[in-house]
Amino acid sequence: MPETPDAPTLDQAALARALSGFHLIGGKLTRPVNGKLFPVVNPATGATVAEAADGDAADVEAAVADAARAQKEWALLPSRRRGALVHQAAQLIRSHVEELARLVALETGKALRTESRVEANNVADIFEFFGGLGGELKGETVPFGPDVLNITVREPLGVVGAIIPWNIPMMLMALKAAPALVAGNSIVVKSAEEAPLAVLRIVELMNRVLPPGVFNILSGQGPECGAPLVAHPLVRKVTFTGSVETGKIISRTAADKLIPVTLELGGKSPMIVFADCDFEKTVQGALTSMRFTRQGQSCTAASRIFVERPIYDRFVAEMTQRVNAMVMGDPLDEKTDIGTIISPAQYEKVQGFIAEGKNTAGAEGRACARMPEDPALRKGLFIQPHIFTGLDRNSRLVREEIFGPVTVVFPFDDAEAVLQDSNDTEFGLAASVWTNNLKIALRFAHRIEAGLVQVNQNLVVQPNLSYGGVKNSGLGKEASLESMLEHFTHKKTIMVNMA
Ligand code: NAI
Ligand code: MG
């Protein structure tokens, strides 16, 4: 067994090295069959911090075979017992929050105080929440007469394949693994190329409590490792978070196998601000809604902000001033609000949008917050947050998901028109409405095409509330009891006739 520590460590560099080169299959850290590795880079410095296992179909085969074996016994445990084990394993996440926060900050460039620590705590919350739901895996009785018994039972689906992205890797894995496991499935996760370490550590820790083979993780590239996982005949359910394009590819493979998929894809979420809002709270709400502390790398980012004309100028000015005051810098520094973009590819993509906005006649792009001056961060993938105004509704910045710290702001005069504009997008993930007029708030809440509408706040996913999009934002829900029942079990009907 390799030298990964049991006790929480705050030496994230050493931990990253210790986790290098492994998948976790059948309860053990294992090397990739092909022996190949790929570098994991700290986006704040450009330094390679680890080498991850570059998995392929051979590793998928090994992981799925173990997962299928383990699932048979796991499914036979009373569901409350499974829940209790998941809850117990979550305590290891709890005691390692600081370690996980530092590790994910190292590999993703997300600031420790504003993002990474919050994420690590959320992971423990999610596993605890679902761990408590074991007793809810129950069926129904249907009365047909005194000598018959007609019941339904909730059965697990088998091996679940989960493919996750890099923006909140630990939390997005938890939202899939926790309900899948409590429902009696085993799971094989394929981590994102950019962020394989913290999620591997979580699976390693939880395997100290869970039976071997129920919770497995592979690292590798999408086409070489993710695609064979989706295609594997023993994988009976796929759950994915990532781009619309990849979601569609996964859906096509799943359709050929006739297996269910849950897809959580992109967004272009509107934030609609009425003049009667609580101005202070709403301006601050724009900063949190846009997820500037995550460099805007969020599917629910308020990347289209509509502000009622009477307060528009003041709102843009105040928002700009506040984003200006945010501190960009070393993700591991407690003073830092904003860290880095995840990878050179995303960096180029986001810079491309900014350049296009700046070159658009009539548009104005406000670059906010100062670039860090520390020479150690010279190669860091920092991008100044940008607030654009004066763009045309058909601009690519208004229509496409940028997944960076870039938002567009529009004035509006008419509520009905802004409702149409809010819905004029291929996406339908989230929205927020800011007003003290209950009639307006309700009308918008009902008529906005999105899976989640919030009034006077814009929180991230909360355990216990269904979360998931409509239109090109995805299929299915996560985070709630219903999502566990609907997406990780099937209902079997049993009819007994003793007449
Ligand atoms: P992606 O969708 O390509 O990657 C997400 C995951 O899918 C990764 O684990 C990747 O290895 C895997 N994958 C890629 N191709 C695959 C295939 N053919 N079969 C199976 N798995 C595959 O997203 P990427 O390239 O990281 O980001 C591109 C854009 O996607 C972003 O700019 C953003 O707009 C959007 N995105 C949305 C996210 C969300 O939370 N909804 C998260 C990450 C990205
Ligand atoms: Mg991709």
Side-chain angles (χ1 to χ4, degrees):
M1 200 66 179
E3 303 290 304
T4 53
D6 286 325
T9 168
L10 298 186
D11 185 348
Q12 66 280 356
L15 182 57
R17 286 193 299 274
L19 290 165
S20 277
F22 293 112
H23 303 304
L24 194 142
I25 300 175
K28 293 196 191 71
L29 290 167
T30 58
R31 301 279 180 193
V33 175
N34 63 20
K36 284 203 282 185
L37 304 171
F38 66 91
V40 183
V41 175
N42 173 355
T45 62
T48 294
V49 296
E51 304 278 341
D54 201 355
D56 62 21
D59 304 304
V60 168
E61 184 54 47
V64 174
D66 264 5
R69 268 194 296 277
Q71 194 264 333
K72 300 233 165 7
E73 281 191 35
W74 180 240
L76 293 177
L77 287 182
S79 57
R80 277 182 57 208
R81 175 75 190 136
R82 288 196 302 263
L85 286 167
V86 167
H87 199 282
Q88 190 188 331
Q91 303 322 301
L92 285 170
I93 309 299
R94 215 29 107 201
S95 58
H96 286 71
V97 157
E98 205 53 33
E99 169 193 296
L100 291 164
R102 297 183 75 86
L103 188 59
V104 87
L106 181 73
E107 63 184 334
T108 64
K110 290 196 302 176
L112 186 60
R113 174 177 51 81
T114 55
E115 287 290 333
S116 295
R117 190 176 290 129
V118 178
E119 183 188 358
N121 274 304
N122 285 345
V123 172
D125 288 350
I126 291 165
F127 278 110
E128 284 176 4
F129 168 71
F130 281 104
L133 294 184
E136 297 298 327
L137 286 143
K138 54 196 178 188
E140 297 143 345
T141 326
V142 184
F144 266 36
D147 301 321
V148 295
L149 181 65
N150 293 337
I151 60 167
T152 62
V153 293
R154 290 281 180 181
E155 288 194 344
L157 300 172
V159 180
V160 171
I163 298 189
I164 56 171
W166 42 263
N167 57 331
I168 18 175
M170 305 190 292
M171 182 166 140
L172 296 174
M173 177 174 77
L175 284 172
K176 298 171 181 349
L181 289 169
V182 173
N185 306 279
S186 59
I187 186 162
V188 178
V189 179
K190 204 293 281 176
S191 57
E193 295 84 322
E194 299 82 354
L197 300 175
V199 286
L200 174 61
R201 178 64 167 161
I202 287 175
V203 180
E204 191 211 9
L205 291 170
M206 293 187 76
N207 263 274
R208 293 176 188 178
V209 172
L210 299 173
V214 301
F215 195 3
N216 310 278
I217 187 163
L218 305 171
S219 51
Q221 317 302 308
E224 288 74 17
C225 190
L229 176 62
V230 177
H232 196 290
L234 289 178
V235 169
R236 303 313 301 158
K237 155 89 197 186
V238 173
T239 170
F240 170 75
T241 300
S243 64
V244 177
E245 190 190 1
T246 304
K248 287 182 181 173
I249 295 173
I250 286 174
S251 244
R252 284 186 201 108
T253 309
D256 275 340
K257 293 167 61 184
L258 279 179
I259 60 164
V261 285
T262 306
L263 303 174
E264 205 270 88
L265 309 174
K268 194 75 188 175
S269 299
M271 168 176 189
I272 303 136
V273 178
F274 284 89
D276 75 336
C277 70
D278 177 337
F279 188 85
E280 283 297 305
K281 179 181 167 187
T282 308
V283 175
Q284 198 55 39
L287 270 55
T288 34
S289 296
M290 186 45 217
R291 318 285 187 240
F292 279 120
T293 54
R294 204 186 303 147
Q295 298 75 254
Q297 299 171 133
S298 163
C299 41
T300 55
S303 46
R304 294 181 299 148
I305 303 181
F306 300 93
V307 183
E308 205 171 8
R309 183 90 59 189
I311 61 166
Y312 172 78
D313 287 335
R314 191 158 68 99
F315 192 92
V316 173
E318 182 68 22
M319 182 179 169
T320 305
Q321 198 183 325
R322 289 192 191 198
V323 183
N324 253 330
M326 294 176 83
V327 177
M328 239 198 301
D330 180 355
L332 288 160
D333 187 333
E334 296 284 346
K335 287 195 291 298
T336 297
D337 296 311
I338 302 179
T340 71
I341 299 296
I342 185 76
S343 66
Q346 289 296 120
Y347 180 88
E348 292 305 324
K349 182 180 155 182
V350 176
Q351 292 288 26
F353 278 106
I354 293 173
E356 192 170 320
K358 286 193 164 156
N359 291 330
T360 304
E364 189 185 341
R366 295 157 190 77
C368 305
R370 279 211 315 278
M371 291 291 278
E373 279 156 19
D374 182 351
L377 305 175
R378 209 178 54 246
K379 293 189 184 148
L381 303 176
F382 293 93
I383 295 186
Q384 283 179 283
H386 276 70
I387 299 170
F388 276 94
T389 53
L391 282 164
D392 187 81
R393 299 284 150 93
N394 292 317
S395 157
R396 226 164 53 86
L397 279 80
V398 180
R399 306 216 70 85
E400 295 181 20
E401 180 172 56
I402 299 173
F403 228 65
V406 181
T407 193
V408 298
V409 192
F410 294 104
F412 75 87
D413 300 295
D414 177 64
E416 190 57 32
V418 80
L419 182 59
Q420 303 302 328
D421 281 337
S422 304
N423 287 337
D424 180 20
T425 165
E426 66 175 291
F427 297 108
L429 191 57
S432 63
V433 188
W434 303 72
T435 178
N436 281 305
N437 180 331
L438 185 57
K439 193 170 161 183
I440 290 266
L442 285 175
R443 194 196 318 164
F444 273 67
H446 284 292
R447 290 184 57 202
I448 287 178
E449 296 163 1
L452 169 65
V453 183
Q454 300 184 59
V455 177
N456 297 335
Q457 64 169 26
N458 200 339
L459 307 177
V460 299
V461 185
Q462 303 288 312
N464 215 5
L465 282 168
S466 284
Y467 172 76
V470 295
K471 296 157 83 177
N472 269 355
S473 290
L475 275 181
K477 301 290 166 194
E478 298 191 305
S480 59
L481 168 62
E482 311 85 79
S483 74
M484 174 173 80
L485 298 176
E486 282 167 28
H487 299 302
F488 292 110
T489 73
H490 77 94
K491 202 185 246 190
K492 178 190 268 181
T493 299
I494 299 176
M495 303 169 78
V496 181
N497 186 339
M498 301 304 284

